[in-house]
Structure formats: structure tokens, C-alpha cells
Amino acid sequence: MTEPLPQGAVIGILGGGQLGRMLSVAAARLGFKTCIFEPSGDCPASHVANYHFRAEYDDTQALRRFAEAVDVVTYEFENIPTAALDTIEALRLVHPGRAALAASQDRLAEKRFLQGLGLQTAPFAEVTDRPSLDLALEAVGLPAILKTARLGYDGKGQARLDSPADAEAALDAMGGAAAVLEGFVKFEREVSVIAARGADGAVAAFDPGENLHEAGILRRTIVPARLSPGQRSDAVLIAARILNALDYIGVLGVELFVTPAGLIVNEIAPRVHNSGHWTQNACAVDQFEQHVRAVAGWPLGDGRRFADVEMTNLIGEDVAGLPDLARAPDTALHLYGKAEARPGRKMGHANRILRRPGA
Amino acid sequence: MTEPLPQGAVIGILGGGQLGRMLSVAAARLGFKTCIFEPSGDCPASHVANYHFRAEYDDTQALRRFAEAVDVVTYEFENIPTAALDTIEALRLVHPGRAALAASQDRLAEKRFLQGLGLQTAPFAEVTDRPSLDLALEAVGLPAILKTARLGYDGKGQARLDSPADAEAALDAMGGAAAVLEGFVKFEREVSVIAARGADGAVAAFDPGENLHEAGILRRTIVPARLSPGQRSDAVLIAARILNALDYIGVLGVELFVTPAGLIVNEIAPRVHNSGHWTQNACAVDQFEQHVRAVAGWPLGDGRRFADVEMTNLIGEDVAGLPDLARAPDTALHLYGKAEARPGRKMGHANRILRRPGA
């Protein structure tokens, strides 16, 4: 893309969940239309997008018609089938690009990419069979987690090893797929940086937030994170280094462990990120709009934080308390329009603005 | 309505312009779906609403199907044909109700209603023919403006009188319609209060903003307005009195002239209002969400202002500067997705957050 997209241009989004929903709203705010591609009906993004291609990711005809109907393509999840990307890329630009997807669709490729940039990761080793697992256990130590290299949802395709006796069962849980053994990192806290890179190469980062998980699901992000000025600057520089190395266009989420030995990269996500939802109520331009701006070839916006904020995910039955939850002071609700509140399902989030003296 | 609307309920909106668009987004944020009724295609609200009934306001069948498809009905403009309202009201609740529409669809009824509440208005008199115009001129004085009593768009159906010699032409401009002669008010500034009343009778007002017009169109709203504490409190009390008198549910815009003799009500609008767009970037809950909450039977939200802000309308060719306009610091853009930038057409607005020391 050489020219920024004009008013009325159509942004194609792969995936119709809450991230696609909030991307659609941000795109509309900039005068763009949106077209989502998503197999399931009545999905969160379909409520606010102009168009919905309801088809499977192996439906080449539908993918082609989708690509032809839009001006540029982005996505809300990283596990997009390679063949689908090939079909779309033959017709339209996809941002962020293949390098970012390659580095995040495969845990092993991701860790090698990060190490290649001189960044710290958790100890890891490739596992393809029992002999390589035994070698990996020697290198990484115990306890450790064996994860399939591909596929990304937390808690799926994972097995914890506390002793060598767990090896066989863990390997079985991988179902023969290539895997990676990861060691545990002793960390003080987990923070994340949401950063963006524009089509012009400009880089901007939101203030790092501090993440609290419950049962493997992000529960809360508190901003600002408790970091020293040096750590804060390191965190942003790490994100910038990744963005530049990938010649990235769009928003990237980087999860970092804070340790006495410095910041360790846990994971990167080539998309808007749950831990960046706080930006909706504490910045002039939020992560969703920043992503749309980059993808549309627009200049990045002003993402400086003007208030402290705490984001809380509303999970499963948390929404049973609505509309009473809506009475909370200083609180902005963001609900995803999901019909059914299943356990562990992200139903929405609440941003609580923490006022400061003088503000 | 006795019960608050549940997640997934459908809010019907009459009108598909930018106000309907921003109402739709606010409704989605609370987990509701939206259905707009609007004769024109590709209208701003259609880009973000779930459903669009594209039909004329005299299409009784379409109005009936629209009403049956939604759980409650609201609107983004006050000049809704009475017959259309009758059709819809037979099937669904409409908020704000008929009393509010009656008081705002007719300038004469509006001024009489306000006077009945003990509020100050500009001097006015009813005009139906030449003799009543002559009497009105005696009562109101010159200069004055003759306006048709019904219909609302500023600058249409209006004629200015600077001398008695203008009377005949002014009367001709009314085309035989009932009219009202309004005197001019010498004012220091114009402010507006955006206030809301919930289904439970709770009232909340946003901080008054100060309005600057150019060529009869709102150009800028600056918040806070330059008001003494007493004037600020008077402004809010006036809005509350109007809301309660109308047993109102939803958001109301009240334009006030600030004069040495106190606050004079210029106009009321039974809907979200251009001068309240600043709330999107300076409050946890903005005017659009506050309206949706009221209409849905939800509690009103926290509309306290956490920053000073300046809203600027982007009119006609103002958008030619996009995307460079998007570089402005501290600035949130809100574009309406209108294809053509005609002179005088509201294309979007920009909210500039004015940081404060310590914030």
C-alpha cells in the first residue's frame, strides 16, 4: 500500500470475536467500513461490522470473494490456516505480514526468533520424540511444561512435568505433534507492552500494564505497571526491536516476565491484545484504533496515557450481575454481545479510571 | 418497561445519521443489538447497526415489522411524523415519550411549556397571519426572527425582520404555516447542558459546555463552560426541571443563553446532542451510553468529567485534510462514514483532551 486508505474504504478482518468487534468499532470511528470473515453466525463482530462473510477457512471461493470485497486485510487471531492466507495474499495485502505470523504461530520459531534478537526467553528445547524429550529435560530442568509447537490457546496441548515419571504421559498428550519443553521462570510480576508500528515505520508504545491471571485466564491489567524507569524503558525497547525486526505493520502484544535478571519475553501476539483493553478509556487513541491506523496506512495517533486505570475481565457468570455492575463509579463497561455465559468465556471487561489529585 | 433489557436485546432507533451511529456503538458496548429505521441507504448508522429497515416513514407495514423486531424504540431526531409514532407505539414503548416530542416538535408549544415551568425564554408571539404578525412585532420588537412553528432544522423556514417593511416577505417565507416571532436575546455566551433521566427517575447531568457557532452551525464546544458556580448549578437545575416535568426517559439537550438577567432557555432537543459529543473522551460514560442505559431501563452511569476538553465539528471540506488531521496530539477523531463532503455537512468531530497539571 502506498496511499493511505480514504474514507469509506473497507477493512477486512479475519475472525469475528470480541477483538474483531472492537477493531470494527475503531475502524468505523475513522470513517472506514469493515467486513469480517468468520464461520460462526451471530458472532460479536458481526453486530457492528458492515459485512459478514460466513464461511469456513477452507472455503477458497469465499476467501477470494472476501478479499475482493475489501481494500486491505487484518486479523484478530494468529492461528490462521496457511492456505487461507495464501489465497487472500494473492489478492490483497495482509497486515501484520507473514513474518509476524510465522514467528507467532509456532512456539519454537517464536523463541528462536526472540533469541536471535538478543532477547531473553524462558529456557526451552525442541521435542519430537522420547529421546529428544529426555535431552530437553536435562537442558531445561524440572518442573517444566511440554507444549505443542503449533496452535495457541493457553491450556490446550499442554502437559506439566514435575518428575521424569511424567514424561511418557506428557508426550502422549502431544498426540505426535512437534512440541517444545519450556522451563519455568521465577518472576516478580508479568507485564505487557502493547506497541504499534505504522506503514511509515513509526513506532509507538502504550504504557506497560501489569497483568494478573486466575486459572490461566487474564483477570486484571493495572496501569501503570510497577516498573523502575529503566525496566519501563527496556520493556518498550524490546517491543520496538521486535516490531522493527518483523517489518511489522499494526499492533503487537508482548508479554514480559519481570525478574532480577531482567525482562524475559513470555509470548508475543501479532494483534490487539486483552491486556491493552485499558487504552479505550485512558488514551485519546486506543490500541484498536492504533491498529486500524497502521493497517490503513494512516499515521499512528497519540496513545499517551492520561489516567491510571484498571481493566477487569468479566468472565462467565460475572455478567449475571448486570445491569447492577453498571452502577460502579468511574467505570466504563465493554460487553461483547455473547448470548451464553459459559465458564471461562470472556463476556466483556470493565475499565475503572483511577482519578488523580488535580485531575 | 418493568425489567431492564437483558444482553442481546434489540434497541430500535429511528433515524440513521451520525447520532444513530454513535447510539448504535454505545448500545453494542452494553451488549445490545441495534436496528435502525432510515429511508436512505448507506447511511452512517447502517455501518455499525445489526439491522437496517430501509423504508419511508409513511410505510406502515415496514414500521410495524420494525417495531416487532425490536424490544424498545428511541430516535435520533425529533421531527418524527405523528402517524409513524402512533404505529410504533401501538406495539412498543418509545423513549423519550410523546410529551417530550410534543414540546420540541413545535416551537410555540416548547416556549409555552418552558414558561409554564417558570423558565425564561426569548420574547415570542404566535403568528398566523398579517394582523397577528403586526401585534407580535409590537410585543417582541425588532430585530426579530419569524420561524415556522413546526419543523426544526436551523435556517430552514426562518426569516429575519429588521424593519416593519420586512413583514410581508417574512410572512410569505412561512408558506402559510403557523409561525412564531422570536425576539433576539443579548447574551454573553451560549452554553448547553446534556442531562439524562433514567427509567427509575434518577437524573444526572454532564458538566455544561460552551458553544461557538459559525454560519449557524455548531463549530466548537469547550468544557467546562465559563460559568459562575451559581450559573452552573442553575443550568443543571433547569435541565432537571424539564426532565422531571416531561417524565422523561433518555438524554436531553438544553441550550441556554447566559445573560445578566440569568439563564434563558434557547431550545431543547429530546435526544443526544452535538454539543455533548465531548463526553466520549472525557467521561467514563458518555451521552450516547447514558441514553441507551435510560432507554434500556438500566441505571444511569458515571458521567463525571475527568478532563477539560474541546470538541470541534469537522464540516464539509474540513475532512480533506485527512489523514494528516489524525496526527494532532491529545486528539480523538470521530468520523461518520459519509461518502460525500458537501458544504455545511457534518462529517465528523474531534475531541481534544486538555491535560491538566498533575493529570
Side-chain angles (χ1 to χ4, degrees), chain A residues 21 28-29 33 302 330 335, chain B residues 21 28-29 42 302 330 335:
Chain A
R21 176 181 174 96
R29 213 162 50 217
K33 295 179 177 176
D302 186 348
D330 301 319
L335 301 169
Chain B
R21 176 180 174 96
R29 213 162 51 218
D42 196 30
D302 186 347
D330 301 319
L335 301 170

Side-chain angles (χ1 to χ4, degrees), chain A residues 111 115 121-125 139-141 144-145 180-185 264:
Chain A
K111 291 212 177 329
Q115 285 197 335
T121 68
F124 71 95
V140 168
I145 294 195
V180 54
L181 187 74
E182 288 184 19
F184 279 83
V185 171
I264 293 178

Side-chain angles (χ1 to χ4, degrees), chain A residues 7 21 28-30 33 42 47-48 50 284 293 298-299 302 304 306 323 326-327 329-330 332-333 335 353, chain B residues 7 21 28-30 33 42 47-48 50 284 293 298-299 302 304 306 323 326-327 329-330 332-333 335 353 355:
Chain A
Q7 294 290 285
R21 176 181 174 96
R29 213 162 50 217
L30 294 182
K33 295 179 177 176
D42 196 31
H47 302 173
V48 291
N50 288 64
R293 283 170 173 248
W298 279 37
D302 186 348
R304 283 177 294 173
F306 55 72
R327 294 183 198 277
D330 301 319
L333 280 180
L335 301 169
I353 298 158
Chain B
Q7 294 290 285
R21 176 180 174 96
R29 213 162 51 218
L30 294 183
K33 296 179 177 176
D42 196 30
H47 303 174
V48 291
N50 288 63
R293 283 169 173 249
W298 279 37
D302 186 347
R304 282 177 296 172
F306 54 73
R327 293 183 199 278
D330 301 319
L333 280 179
L335 301 170
I353 298 158
R355 284 147 199 276

Side-chain angles (χ1 to χ4, degrees), chain B residues 93-119:
Chain B
L93 284 175
V94 178
H95 296 308
R98 288 305 267 271
L101 282 166
S104 61
Q105 285 186 334
D106 187 301
R107 294 181 211 277
L108 209 58
E110 179 177 319
K111 290 210 178 332
R112 286 176 177 153
F113 162 70
L114 294 167
Q115 285 197 335
L117 292 180
L119 303 176

Side-chain angles (χ1 to χ4, degrees), chain A residues 163-245:
Chain A
S163 86
D166 298 330
E168 206 57 43
L171 204 55
D172 283 351
M174 300 300 108
V180 54
L181 187 74
E182 288 184 19
F184 279 83
V185 171
K186 267 198 140 166
F187 59 88
E188 293 159 12
R189 51 186 61 97
E190 188 204 292
V191 302
S192 56
V193 182
I194 310 300
R197 189 167 176 275
D200 57 357
V203 167
F206 294 99
D207 248 4
E210 184 165 337
N211 301 327
L212 302 174
H213 295 84
E214 282 175 19
I217 302 173
L218 181 67
R219 185 65 185 187
R220 234 175 271 276
T221 298
I222 298 162
V223 196
R226 288 169 295 167
L227 292 173
S228 68
Q231 288 171 326
R232 190 176 307 274
S233 143
D234 281 353
V236 170
L237 288 172
I238 287 171
R241 195 178 307 174
I242 296 169
L243 288 172
N244 287 327

Side-chain angles (χ1 to χ4, degrees), chain B residues 176-296:
Chain B
V180 53
L181 188 74
E182 287 185 21
F184 278 82
V185 171
K186 269 196 137 166
F187 58 87
E188 294 159 13
R189 51 186 60 98
E190 188 204 293
V191 301
S192 56
V193 182
I194 310 300
R197 189 167 175 276
D200 57 357
V203 167
F206 293 99
D207 247 4
E210 184 165 336
N211 301 326
L212 302 174
H213 295 83
E214 282 175 20
I217 301 173
L218 181 67
R219 185 66 186 185
R220 234 176 272 276
T221 299
I222 298 161
V223 196
R226 288 169 295 168
L227 292 173
S228 69
Q231 287 171 327
R232 190 175 308 273
S233 141
D234 281 353
V236 170
L237 288 173
I238 286 170
R241 196 178 306 173
I242 296 169
L243 288 171
N244 287 327
L246 295 170
D247 198 16
Y248 196 93
I249 294 178
V251 160
L252 173 85
V254 183
E255 292 178 11
L256 298 163
F257 294 132
V258 180
T259 79
L263 299 175
I264 293 178
V265 183
N266 177 34
E267 203 170 87
I268 62 174
R271 52 170 168 79
V272 289
H273 196 262
N274 193 166
S275 69
H277 291 0
W278 64 268
T279 57
Q280 293 173 311
N281 295 98
C283 304
V285 172
D286 69 17
Q287 66 163 347
F288 302 100
E289 181 173 329
Q290 206 70 301
H291 186 77
V292 170
R293 283 169 173 249
V295 166

